[in-house]
Amino acid sequence: MYDVIIIGAGPAGLSAAIASREWEAHVLVLDEFPKPGGRLLGQLHQEPNGEWWNGIKETGILMDKAEELNIDVRCGISAHHTEKTADGFTVHTNEGTFDAENLLIATGAAESAAPIPGWTLPGVMSIGAAQVMTNVHRVRVGDKGIVVGVNVLSAAIARELQLADVELHSMALPAVNPVTKDHGDPGKVMDGLVRIAHLAPSAFLRFGSKFAKAAWVRKLAVKFYPKGGVKMWGMPIHIRKSVVEINGNEEVESVTICDITPDGTPIKGSEKTVDVDFVCIAGGLYPLAELAAVTGCPFQYIEELGGQVPVHNEQMETPIEGLYVAGNITGIESAKVARAQGTVAGLSIAKQKVKDLADIEYRVDEAKQKVKAIRKEASIQFHPGIDEGRSKIEKAFQDYSNVT
């Protein structure tokens, strides 16, 4: 019987394991990927202050600490079911069952689909898959490609592909359909671009983004957006062009692009063919929360957090006694926020073990404040209104607690 089983060896899971183990908790970390690190393994970008964020290096730091503390981290193990028991929790995996008094689910996020005609051809992949192939497996995804979907995630990973000497023709919107209506809306996409313009290498773009925070300025920017796109890192970003079809017989050979109106309507007769051999589709991220659902945790839909998230409080506790969550399962944010949340969760779990020690009470409060500070200083926000979203989920926890 472990004190805690942690599902997910990403930044949240590993940080939680370290924080709880430092208080001598008996910890088991499970992850289905062959290596620990989660999404950290694929991350490589330059911060606004000029420093480089290297996910592999950050993973190494966490794993060195985990090994120093003799934390049991097992990879290649897939957890497919969890259940609440009289003594705690049972986790069902492809390697048998494991029991613990507490359970932390830190499964992260998954990519949303953005289907367009031809998207089942070999050579079409999610933007996250391209990141993993390039930065983790060191596999070249193709010679020349295009990114379909303009958002925070696709902009960051497109830059990573460029750094790996992968040629990208451009970034453009997906054709509008019932699934992609938000991703294909130039106005909504412009709202997202404003949140990452401060990362652009052009001082002009960074300066202009300050004015674009006003809604009427963004509307004008969409209306008069350059036909040739706005270049970031030498790559055109189009929000007045959409990819309407991916072409090829047995693999990707080209895409068909057309001009669109400010509301996303295709302009007939503007279609052009662009030769590419791979396509990256970026539909955004959503919390990967199925295991929390089967454990009986209540959920709340909060758009600012990326979708359905488990009800939880600032201590990362859910209404299910002994069940905790941390990282992107609680809402889509950066790896730094996930790591800080993991520390909170680990300390909250340890607090149950050591009970009323003033020092750990202080450490939990300190860790909670650090989460807020990191969130405030984040160079990239995946969703607007993240603070409002966090307030909503905290209220949901309080409402649920009052009812039960």
Side-chain angles (χ1 to χ4, degrees), residues 54 82 116 124 132 257 296 306 337:
N54 185 324
T82 60
I116 56 177
V124 181
V132 172
I257 297 182
V337 172

Side-chain angles (χ1 to χ4, degrees), residues 67-380:
E67 290 171 6
E68 178 186 324
L69 294 169
N70 294 315
I71 295 173
D72 190 356
V73 179
R74 305 187 196 183
C75 292
I77 296 181
S78 178
H80 54 78
H81 180 54
T82 60
E83 60 179 318
K84 188 80 170 72
T85 65
D87 298 320
F89 298 87
T90 296
V91 178
H92 299 259
T93 77
N94 60 317
E95 295 289 338
T97 60
F98 301 91
D99 298 303
E101 292 182 16
N102 301 284
L103 176 63
L104 169 61
I105 302 178
T107 43
E111 290 190 75
S112 300
I116 56 177
W119 75 317
T120 58
L121 280 169
V124 181
M125 67 200 77
S126 71
I127 192 72
Q131 181 190 46
V132 172
M133 290 174 68
T134 302
N135 292 346
V136 180
H137 301 299
R138 304 294 196 237
V139 173
R140 189 177 183 85
V141 294
D143 293 320
K144 182 181 180 182
I146 189 169
V147 176
V148 182
V150 179
N151 52 47
V152 173
L153 183 69
S154 63
I157 298 178
R159 181 54 178 160
E160 293 174 12
L161 294 177
Q162 284 186 321
L163 292 170
D165 202 27
V166 175
E167 182 181 355
L168 292 175
H169 173 272
S170 60
M171 297 174 65
L173 305 189
V176 173
N177 60 45
V179 177
T180 65
K181 57 182 180 179
D182 288 342
H183 303 293
D185 184 324
K188 291 184 178 180
V189 172
M190 176 59 77
D191 292 345
L193 277 179
V194 169
R195 298 200 305 278
I196 60 171
H198 63 284
L199 301 177
S202 165
F204 175 75
L205 288 178
R206 294 196 298 271
F207 181 73
S209 70
K210 296 179 182 179
F211 295 96
K213 290 180 180 179
W216 68 271
V217 175
R218 294 198 299 273
K219 287 182 180 179
L220 278 178
V222 170
K223 185 175 182 179
F224 296 106
Y225 199 84
K227 286 189 175 182
V230 172
K231 290 188 176 182
M232 286 181 70
W233 309 295
M235 175 186 60
I237 297 179
H238 298 288
I239 66 168
R240 290 290 301 276
K241 293 182 185 292
S242 69
V243 176
V244 296
E245 189 168 8
I246 302 170
N247 312 307
N249 292 317
E250 297 182 355
E251 59 186 17
V252 173
E253 298 174 5
S254 66
V255 295
T256 301
I257 297 182
C258 75
D259 296 336
I260 57 176
T261 64
D263 65 0
T265 303
I267 299 174
K268 292 183 179 180
S270 65
E271 295 86 357
K272 292 182 180 179
T273 300
V274 177
D275 293 333
V276 293
D277 63 0
F278 74 92
V279 176
C280 295
I281 295 181
L285 299 170
Y286 67 91
L288 190 60
E290 290 84 350
L291 284 178
V294 299
T295 312
C297 185
F299 278 72
Q300 185 89 5
Y301 180 83
I302 299 180
E303 186 174 354
E304 296 89 345
L305 300 182
Q308 296 281 356
V309 295
V311 173
H312 63 280
N313 61 14
E314 282 188 312
Q315 289 78 245
M316 315 315 295
E317 301 167 325
T318 74
I320 306 297
E321 185 180 358
L323 178 64
Y324 300 78
V325 289
N328 276 357
I329 187 178
T330 73
I332 308 304
E333 295 194 75
S334 72
K336 291 182 179 180
V337 172
R339 187 172 59 185
Q341 286 182 327
T343 298
V344 174
L347 289 170
S348 295
I349 292 167
K351 179 182 171 183
Q352 302 304 317
K353 179 179 173 62
V354 300
K355 298 301 180 184
D356 304 317
L357 288 184
D359 189 37
I360 198 167
E361 293 274 2
Y362 170 79
R363 289 282 302 278
V364 172
D365 289 340
E366 185 181 51
K368 285 161 54 179
Q369 292 306 313
K370 188 171 183 180
V371 170
K372 293 179 180 179
I374 291 174
R375 178 176 293 132
K376 185 177 181 180
E377 296 169 0
S379 59
I380 294 177

